[in-house]
Amino acid sequence: MFSKVPGPVRLADQVAATLSEEIESGRLAEGDRLPTEVELVKQLGVSRTVVREALSRLRNAGLIEPRQGIGVFVLPRRTRPLDLDAADTKAKVLQIVEVRRAMEGEAASLAATRATPHDLARMRQALDTIDSAVAAGGDGVDEDLAFHRSIAESTGNAVMVSTVRYLGDVSRSGIRVTRANEARRNDFIEAVRDEHHAILAAIEAGDPEAARAAARRHMKHAAGRLQDADDSFWTQTEELAVDLGTAP
C-alpha cells in the first residue's frame, strides 16, 4: 500500500503525514484497519519506534483508534484537525504564538493556585532538562514541550492537558523554528531561559496574575524575536519543517 519514506528531517513526521494523507484522501476510510506495525515497518522502510510515534500522533489527532487484540482503525471524522500546514512560514508561526499566548497564560495562572510540591518539582526538572539538552548540542524541542505540558498538567484540568498535549504532538516545527532562531544569538538563549524561569518562579510563589503575565510576556517576546529575524533565516527554516508548529 505504501512506498518507502525518504529522509531527511524527522521520519516520524513524514510517516504521520503519509498516513494522514491516506485518511484525508479517503484511501483509508472510516472503519478501515491499518496495516500492522510490522507491515508498516516493511512498507515504509522505517523502524518500529518511528511507526509507533507516528501512530501516536494520529491517535492524539483523533484520526485513528487502537483496539486491543484487533488492530488500529480509522475513526469517523467528527471535527477537522487544526489547519497548521506550512507552520514553518513566518505568518503561521506568529499566528500560533498568539494562540499559545492565551493558552499558556491561563495555564500558568491556574498552575499558580493548584500546583502541588510534586508538580513544582516536575516543572523544575523540566527546565533543567532543557538546559542539559541545549548544553549537549540538542535543539531542546521535546524538552520545551515537556515543560509546557508539566504546567498544564499541574492545573488538574483534563481538557487543558489534552489540548496542550494535542498541540504539542501535532505541532513541533514552530518550536523548532523559534528555537533555531533563538539559538543564533546567546542573548536570545539567555532571554528564553530567563523567561521560562520567571514563569516557574511566579507559579512557585502562588501568584496567578504574575504567572499569567510572565507566560504572556514570554509569548510576546518570542513573537518579537521572530519578527526581528531576517529573510535568510526564514529561507533556512524550509529545511526544518515537515511537521506542524507551535512556539515555546
Side-chain angles (χ1 to χ4, degrees):
M1 180 182 296
F2 303 109
S3 58
K4 291 188 177 182
V5 176
V9 198
R10 290 176 59 90
L11 289 176
D13 300 335
Q14 295 178 309
V15 171
T18 296
L19 296 175
S20 179
E21 171 60 25
E22 293 296 311
I23 295 171
E24 294 284 345
S25 68
R27 289 187 290 272
L28 280 172
E30 173 186 339
D32 283 353
R33 184 176 69 83
L34 268 65
T36 66
E37 286 185 1
V38 173
E39 291 168 339
L40 287 173
V41 165
K42 290 180 179 178
Q43 292 181 38
L44 296 167
V46 297
S47 71
R48 198 160 186 168
T49 298
V50 168
V51 168
R52 287 178 175 173
E53 183 177 348
L55 293 178
S56 176
R57 296 189 190 182
L58 295 185
R59 184 176 67 251
N60 289 327
L63 296 179
I64 61 173
E65 175 186 59
R67 298 175 187 170
Q68 186 66 36
I70 302 177
V72 178
F73 293 82
V74 177
L75 287 173
R77 295 297 302 275
R78 295 185 294 273
T79 57
R80 187 170 184 83
L82 293 178
D83 177 17
L84 298 178
D85 292 325
D88 56 315
T89 66
K90 184 175 184 178
K92 184 56 66 72
V93 173
L94 289 172
Q95 288 171 3
I96 295 167
V97 170
E98 292 179 354
V99 174
R100 291 298 297 269
R101 183 163 53 213
M103 177 168 290
E104 298 291 349
E106 188 61 23
S109 176
L110 291 173
T113 62
R114 300 177 182 178
T116 66
H118 174 72
D119 291 329
L120 295 174
R122 192 170 36 154
M123 291 181 218
R124 176 65 61 183
Q125 178 60 42
L127 283 188
D128 291 342
T129 302
I130 294 175
D131 291 342
S132 298
V134 172
D139 58 16
V141 171
D142 290 335
E143 294 77 13
D144 195 303
L145 282 168
F147 171 63
H148 289 288
R149 278 199 307 270
S150 71
I151 294 175
E153 288 165 357
S154 72
T155 68
N157 184 322
V159 175
M160 180 170 287
V161 173
S162 296
T163 303
V164 169
R165 182 177 292 117
Y166 168 75
L167 286 173
D169 285 339
V170 302
S171 56
R172 277 181 166 80
S173 72
I175 290 182
R176 193 170 294 122
V177 167
T178 51
R179 293 197 69 89
N181 175 51
E182 290 153 358
R184 296 180 303 124
R185 292 171 45 175
N186 287 333
D187 58 331
F188 279 3
I189 294 173
E190 289 302 315
V192 173
R193 187 177 187 279
D194 290 346
E195 289 161 20
H196 279 158
H197 281 268
I199 296 170
L200 178 56
I203 293 173
E204 288 178 325
D207 189 333
E209 291 307 316
R212 179 186 288 110
R216 291 179 64 85
R217 185 164 53 248
H218 174 45
M219 295 296 115
K220 179 180 179 180
H221 290 171
R225 286 185 286 266
L226 289 167
Q227 290 279 19
D228 289 341
D230 58 27
D231 291 340
S232 64
F233 169 77
W234 289 101
T235 299
Q236 293 169 6
T237 64
E238 294 176 2
E239 301 174 1
L240 294 175
V242 164
D243 54 7
L244 312 175
T246 186

